[in-house]
Amino acid sequence: MEYIYASLMLHSAKKDINEENIKKVLESAGIQVDDVRVKALVAALQQINIDEVLKSALVTGAVAPAAPAAAPASEEKKEEKKEEKAEEEKKELSEEELSSGLGALFG
């Protein structure tokens, strides 16, 4: 992940994303550099428009916070279930009360 961050730092600084620059960023952060990973990253990034990727990530990120809004609906369902259980318990209690009342009558 730190390799990607290094490339994003270079991109935001408008520096060339090449093996030498990525190595410099990683080494300055005290990260041991794997030359194979650096070469693979540079090769992969040559075919990617980083600005477009960042734009799509921002659009996707703006949509993500909307998901928690669905949580209250599930809370409402939980409350409805609690209310239904409470009503069932009331019915059960009233049936028990009736049977105990009948038992007292017929002793």
Side-chain angles (χ1 to χ4, degrees):
M1 192 61 111
E2 56 272 353
Y3 289 75
I4 295 171
Y5 291 139
S7 63
L8 288 173
M9 288 175 59
L10 290 169
H11 177 74
S12 66
K14 298 189 183 343
K15 301 288 182 182
D16 288 334
I17 299 174
N18 57 38
E19 293 176 35
E20 182 182 341
N21 287 344
I22 289 176
K23 285 181 185 180
K24 286 180 184 178
V25 171
L26 294 172
E27 288 171 351
S28 69
I31 297 170
Q32 186 175 6
V33 178
D34 179 358
D35 290 334
V36 174
R37 290 177 67 187
V38 172
K39 287 181 183 187
L41 177 64
V42 171
L45 290 177
Q46 288 177 350
Q47 299 175 8
I48 294 175
N49 184 338
I50 295 174
D51 290 321
E52 289 298 317
V53 171
L54 292 174
K55 285 179 187 176
S56 67
L58 291 174
V59 170
T60 305
V63 174
S74 64
E75 290 177 14
E76 289 177 11
K77 290 181 181 179
K78 288 180 183 178
E79 288 179 22
E80 289 176 12
K81 289 181 180 179
K82 287 181 183 177
E83 290 176 9
E84 289 175 8
K85 287 182 181 179
E87 289 177 18
E88 289 176 14
E89 288 176 2
K90 286 181 184 178
K91 288 180 183 177
E92 290 175 11
L93 290 175
S94 60
E95 289 175 8
E96 290 175 14
E97 290 172 352
L98 288 174
S99 63
S100 66
L102 290 174
L105 287 175
F106 296 107

